[in-house]
Amino acid sequence: MTDTTDSSESRRWYTLDVHPYVFFISSFIICASVLLTIVFHSRLDTLFASLQAGIANLAGWFFVLTMNIILVFVFVLLFGRHGNVRLGGDDAKPEFSRLAWFSMLFSAGMGIGLLFYGVAEPMFHYIASPLAESGTPDAARTAMDLTFLHWGLHPWGVYTLVGLSLAFFSFNKGLPLSIRSVFYPLLGEKIYGPIGNIIDILATVATLFGVATSLGLGVQQVNAGIHYLFGIEQSATVQLLLIAGITFLATWSVVAGLNAGIKRLSEINLIMAVLLMFFVLILGPTLFILNAFGENIGYYIQNLPRLATWNETYEDTTWQHGWTVFYWGWWIAWSPFVGMFIARVSYGRTVREFILGVLFIPTLITFVWITIFGNTAISIELLGPGGIAQAVQDNLPVSLFVLLEHFPLAAVTSFLSVLVIVTFFVTSSDSGSMVIDIITAGGNPDPPVLQRLFWAILEGVTAAALLVGGGLMALQTAAITTGLPFALVLLCMCYSLTKGLKEYKGPLGFMMPPYEHGTRLITEYSYAAPATFGRRKFWTAKSRRSTSGKKRPNTGKQED
Amino acid sequence: MLESVRLRYEGCCMMLMSIEEDRGIFLGSAFLVHSKGYALTAAHILPNKAELGLVPAQPAGSFVPLTMEQVTPVPVEVVRRDTEHDVALLKLIPDLGIAVPSHIMGNPAETPLGTTVMSMGFSFAHYRLHSVVSLQATLSAKVLSAHQAHILLFDTPIHPGDAGGPLINARDERIIGVVLGPFAASDLVAESTGSKPDSASSAISQAISIEYGIELMKQEGLDLL
């Protein structure tokens, strides 16, 4: 049902299946914004930067509160009575194996940032700690804790909420696989009208800009990395070539379909990432990492309520604006995209399985990753020769490679890192295109090939245009500012999902169609003395047969 | 927990009526068990020879009229009857395309005592109150009768119209028995000695294990989902 091999007569390559408003208005807004940004990018840069700063200043508390409400909500659902509801109905079978499922969740959800920030973020907090004296072991412990907070249960809680809502309303309630469907319990049939179109257009535009700007900014980092490793020049030409290559791979993957392309790439991606982790674990400070793993998780759990609700109220500082609040806005802005993709690949899981799979497994993989890379960096800084913190501040993209140079086989691990970076890019990019394809096809989970081509290429073109013309930062900031309105949307989603689950009767309730052919009868009082025992004799033993243990019921075809 | 049991199962409850000329005489409850149009009920409520029909309840969820003045029963025939265990399998004669969810049959042997159960039936349909009434109880005892029949006792008094309805394990939302009627300990004595002692009315009711209903379905060649 997912790949393109089902090219029946009605599904030729040039078939189009577009939602007339969403598809064309989104395309228009995207092209117009790119042009406007290229022309006015210096002015827009400051405009969006000050907008983002204003949001962080005034609405930081709201982000913190929302993230916690969502996490608690997801925990309540996990233990609640709807845990057994199966997405797609009682008879639905999961479309992907567990491994494939986890790979796709992880590859779409975290992606490239983890590679750079796994090393860099603990370093930043270590040398400028908001909660401890910088550069001390205490600062190191707090640094890991803060990184865990930003990459841990909270972002995955948001993805769980959005993914679960979309999957439930689409697979169990039969609504289109589209952001608008989540609001059915609140808006009813109005979701098919202008309000629904606006919601979907916003999600499409935000997703495309999110993915395209990440691609554009990311290739600059990749370029910096390969410049450091192989001495290849840092120029727009190289970066455009990188965009072209990544877009080509992503386009191939999207066109090949979920099963053939995206799934396989995600699996390769996860296997390579695990391989890289193993290399660093074995070649790096193994014992230090193993010691730290348990301690980091323990410290995270102990401090979760304190750190997750910390608002800098009494410190009166603005440290969180650039970190916690920024991350919360970022994850929320990405949640329509990641949630939609998670929903698409989670058909056939139960609600409980979904929450366990989306909330805990990726969080655990993330923690292992951050511990291995972050603690390796900390061990060099705290116990070794140092220099990583300086590298992070000087040139963030190369800090990973600087780290790897401290250990044997640096050439192998560096090369592997470049490969992982590229596959992470491709998997984020193809899942982003897939999501836009689905939304702009009016919720068709398996959109036609031509549309997949269109969006995958538009994504690359947008990234390339912004890279050359300028305005990547401006548009990325703009994409993140959508986090604020979407935080409100997420809170509505909690209510909507609760209402939907409560009213859910099961995919196939008992149903008897109306029967009009019979004779209409008049009902009558028919009180009869309740015949409690009738012809049965349960309690009197039959002399012969009752001793023979298990007895077959005496049943014969009844002949009236 | 209980709301979802009610939501899931109220659509399966049917009124069993005997069709006598232009009148429908309510006999008891029955419940759909298979999408090919099969329903289970208690055998003792079936008359020896009569034209039978099933009538679904009015759409639930809101206030509905007390009485359905007119009904259009779907004709049924009795295909299997196990009088010893008091269950019968009915088949709808017209092919209506009925939807029945999967995983509805439970396992009484593995249902712990004290489990919350729900029984459903048309408690007062003899008096023309044509609504599905649900009752909550705990599974009080699992008894092996002198005939080795598996009887389930539950602690809520039921009413004449409930006989033939399902008894549902509220925890896993599966049917574990067919409701038979009130449990009167004095009947036990009556059956063995022939003289019935004075009995206080019992707040305990009895149901027969669903395994005998499943057995009938297997004999009919129906596959259980």
Side-chain angles (χ1 to χ4, degrees):
Chain A
M1 71 182 267
T2 49
D3 52 27
T4 50
T5 50
D6 62 343
S7 52
S8 55
E9 285 302 302
S10 58
R11 291 281 309 259
R12 293 178 196 277
W13 67 269
Y14 52 79
T15 313
L16 280 184
D17 177 15
V18 297
H19 187 287
Y21 292 104
V22 177
F23 185 92
F24 293 108
I25 296 179
S26 303
S27 311
F28 174 76
I29 292 179
I30 288 163
C31 296
S33 316
V34 170
L35 285 178
L36 278 178
T37 314
I38 290 173
V39 176
F40 297 109
H41 68 89
S42 51
R43 243 179 288 172
L44 286 178
D45 226 354
T46 40
L47 173 72
F48 286 127
S50 56
L51 186 63
Q52 172 64 17
I55 288 175
N57 187 31
L58 295 175
W61 63 272
F62 177 67
F63 280 116
V64 171
L65 204 60
T66 305
M67 292 299 276
N68 287 308
I69 289 172
I70 291 169
L71 189 61
V72 170
F73 177 77
V74 169
F75 267 97
V76 170
L77 273 187
L78 174 64
F79 297 109
R81 67 190 174 90
H82 302 296
N84 293 327
V85 171
R86 193 172 283 282
L87 300 170
D90 280 352
D91 296 327
K93 296 268 178 300
E95 203 178 323
F96 301 101
S97 69
R98 286 250 162 82
L99 178 71
W101 188 46
F102 293 143
S103 322
M104 286 192 279
L105 295 180
F106 189 71
S107 300
M110 283 298 158
I112 199 70
L114 197 54
L115 241 99
F116 294 113
Y117 279 85
V119 175
E121 187 169 346
M123 281 293 101
F124 276 120
H125 300 333
Y126 173 69
I127 52 177
S129 181
L131 291 169
E133 196 186 325
S134 301
T136 58
D138 204 24
R141 191 180 295 124
T142 313
M144 292 308 293
D145 194 17
L146 283 166
T147 314
F148 273 25
L149 175 76
H150 296 155
W151 294 83
L153 291 172
H154 285 84
W156 288 102
V158 171
Y159 294 161
T160 306
L161 170 68
V162 180
L164 189 60
S165 305
L166 286 167
F168 174 74
F169 285 105
S170 166
F171 300 147
N172 293 47
K173 297 266 186 171
L175 296 169
L177 182 57
S178 192
I179 308 288
R180 64 173 83 196
S181 301
V182 172
F183 298 94
Y184 192 82
L186 295 174
L187 302 172
E189 294 296 315
K190 281 187 198 149
I191 62 160
Y192 296 109
I195 302 178
N197 292 343
I198 290 171
I199 293 173
D200 278 359
I201 290 169
L202 272 181
T204 306
V205 173
T207 302
L208 191 119
F209 282 142
V211 178
T213 54
S214 303
L215 183 64
L217 292 170
V219 290
Q220 294 180 335
Q221 298 179 334
V222 175
N223 196 185
I226 57 176
H227 171 69
Y228 180 81
L229 283 178
F230 311 113
I232 294 170
E233 57 165 340
Q234 267 182 284
S235 70
T237 323
V238 175
Q239 289 163 14
L240 286 178
L241 283 174
L242 278 169
I243 290 182
I246 289 167
T247 306
F248 175 78
L249 280 175
T251 309
W252 167 80
S253 158
V254 173
V255 171
L258 207 49
N259 256 320
I262 297 177
K263 184 183 99 178
R264 208 156 294 161
L265 269 179
S266 296
E267 281 173 342
I268 293 172
N269 182 24
L270 190 71
I271 290 167
M272 290 209 299
V274 168
L275 210 62
L276 180 62
M277 278 201 304
F278 258 101
F279 261 118
V280 177
L281 175 64
I282 305 294
L283 301 171
T286 313
L287 194 60
F288 185 76
I289 293 172
L290 293 175
N291 281 335
F293 182 61
E295 187 168 332
N296 286 348
I297 289 183
Y299 199 68
Y300 173 72
I301 294 170
Q302 288 172 57
N303 282 295
L304 188 61
R306 189 175 71 89
L307 214 52
T309 53
W310 179 52
N311 262 327
E312 298 180 292
T313 315
Y314 303 106
E315 289 87 349
D316 198 23
T317 49
T318 56
W319 180 86
Q320 283 191 320
H321 294 184
W323 289 103
T324 312
V325 171
F326 176 83
Y327 270 120
W328 291 170
W330 170 272
W331 298 133
I332 290 174
W334 275 79
S335 63
F337 148 49
V338 180
M340 179 87 159
F341 184 73
I342 291 176
R344 175 64 187 84
V345 299
S346 301
Y347 181 86
R349 308 277 165 190
T350 64
V351 168
R352 189 163 295 129
E353 203 182 352
F354 182 94
I355 297 175
L356 288 173
V358 180
L359 187 61
F360 291 104
I361 305 289
T363 302
L364 194 69
I365 303 176
T366 308
F367 284 176
V368 173
W369 182 280
I370 295 175
T371 301
I372 289 178
F373 286 87
N375 277 93
T376 303
I378 282 177
S379 98
I380 294 171
E381 208 60 33
L382 195 67
L383 313 167
I388 305 291
Q390 197 55 46
V392 166
Q393 282 176 310
D394 292 347
N395 191 348
L396 196 148
V398 304
S399 56
L400 174 66
F401 304 109
V402 175
L403 176 94
L404 294 175
E405 273 179 2
H406 281 80
F407 303 105
L409 297 175
V412 178
T413 49
S414 297
F415 183 66
L416 197 58
S417 307
V418 174
L419 281 184
V420 174
I421 290 170
V422 171
T423 50
F424 255 127
F425 257 130
V426 177
T427 51
S428 297
S429 179
D430 62 12
S431 41
S433 307
M434 189 77 192
V435 165
I436 297 173
D437 291 343
I438 293 173
I439 299 178
T440 55
N444 174 1
D446 198 17
V449 174
L450 199 59
Q451 275 159 264
R452 301 184 197 198
L453 268 174
F454 174 76
W455 288 111
I457 292 173
L458 184 65
E459 201 176 283
V461 170
T462 307
L466 291 171
L467 184 77
V468 176
L472 276 171
M473 280 307 282
L475 264 188
Q476 184 168 48
T477 317
I480 296 170
T481 52
T482 61
L484 181 63
F486 212 75
L488 283 169
V489 166
L490 290 183
L491 291 178
C492 295
M493 219 180 255
C494 292
Y495 173 73
S496 195
L497 182 61
T498 313
K499 194 157 178 259
L501 279 170
K502 214 170 178 176
E503 290 165 355
Y504 183 58
K505 287 192 183 194
L508 265 174
F510 288 90
M511 218 273 296
M512 186 149 105
Y515 179 70
E516 302 294 347
H517 305 294
T519 24
R520 293 190 73 79
L521 304 177
I522 299 160
T523 56
E524 205 172 61
Y525 293 105
S526 61
Y527 180 69
T532 50
F533 276 84
R535 292 181 297 281
R536 287 163 303 150
K537 281 201 165 49
F538 282 136
W539 307 109
T540 328
K542 277 188 188 166
S543 48
R544 278 166 290 128
R545 281 160 59 193
S546 62
T547 47
S548 61
K550 195 177 174 193
K551 195 166 69 67
R552 307 295 296 172
N554 169 23
T555 50
K557 184 91 178 173
Q558 187 70 29
E559 288 172 352
D560 266 351
Chain B
M1 184 169 73
L2 291 166
E3 299 111 285
S4 63
V5 177
R6 168 82 203 211
L7 273 173
R8 185 163 151 93
Y9 284 99
E10 66 188 358
C12 81
C13 292
M14 299 280 150
M15 287 184 268
L16 181 64
M17 291 196 178
S18 71
I19 302 167
E20 289 169 19
E21 290 169 4
D22 63 340
R23 289 174 193 277
I25 314 291
F26 176 79
L27 299 169
S29 301
F31 56 99
L32 297 175
V33 286
H34 199 281
S35 55
K36 285 182 183 162
Y38 288 88
L40 284 173
T41 188
H44 76 262
I45 63 172
L46 298 172
N48 280 332
K49 198 168 169 64
E51 206 180 325
L52 298 173
L54 286 182
V55 181
Q58 301 169 83
S62 183
F63 293 93
V64 292
L66 189 68
T67 297
M68 293 156 80
E69 295 296 338
Q70 285 199 321
V71 292
T72 309
V74 184
V76 289
E77 56 178 343
V78 182
V79 288
R80 302 262 164 182
R81 193 189 316 226
D82 176 359
T83 48
E84 192 168 340
H85 296 102
D86 201 2
V87 281
L89 186 64
L90 311 172
K91 184 178 192 322
L92 300 176
I93 295 168
D95 184 10
L96 290 181
I98 285 167
V100 171
S102 47
H103 311 298
I104 56 167
M105 290 303 185
N107 186 348
E110 284 177 10
T111 307
L113 291 173
T115 301
T116 301
V117 292
M118 186 184 261
S119 87
M120 276 191 220
F122 295 83
S123 305
F124 307 105
H126 287 296
Y127 310 94
R128 297 178 78 217
L129 192 166
H130 297 134
S131 289
V132 180
V133 175
S134 50
L135 300 166
Q136 178 208 348
T138 61
L139 186 59
S140 314
K142 294 195 276 192
V143 190
L144 203 56
S145 82
H147 278 187
Q148 309 294 315
H150 293 169
I151 310 272
L152 306 169
L153 301 187
F154 56 101
D155 61 342
T156 189
I158 63 152
H159 306 87
D162 286 320
L167 183 73
I168 302 148
N169 177 345
R171 180 167 283 276
D172 64 7
E173 304 193 353
R174 295 181 181 216
I175 300 171
I176 53 170
V178 181
V179 174
L180 297 181
F183 172 73
S186 55
D187 287 346
L188 241 129
V189 182
E191 276 192 23
S192 52
T193 64
S195 67
K196 192 171 175 174
D198 292 343
S199 86
S201 69
S202 164
I204 302 284
S205 306
Q206 59 179 344
I208 187 79
S209 164
I210 194 64
E211 64 203 271
Y212 305 109
I214 293 174
E215 181 63 35
L216 292 188
M217 291 171 71
K218 282 185 183 157
Q219 287 172 13
E220 190 66 18
L222 299 174
D223 47 336
L224 292 171
L225 285 170

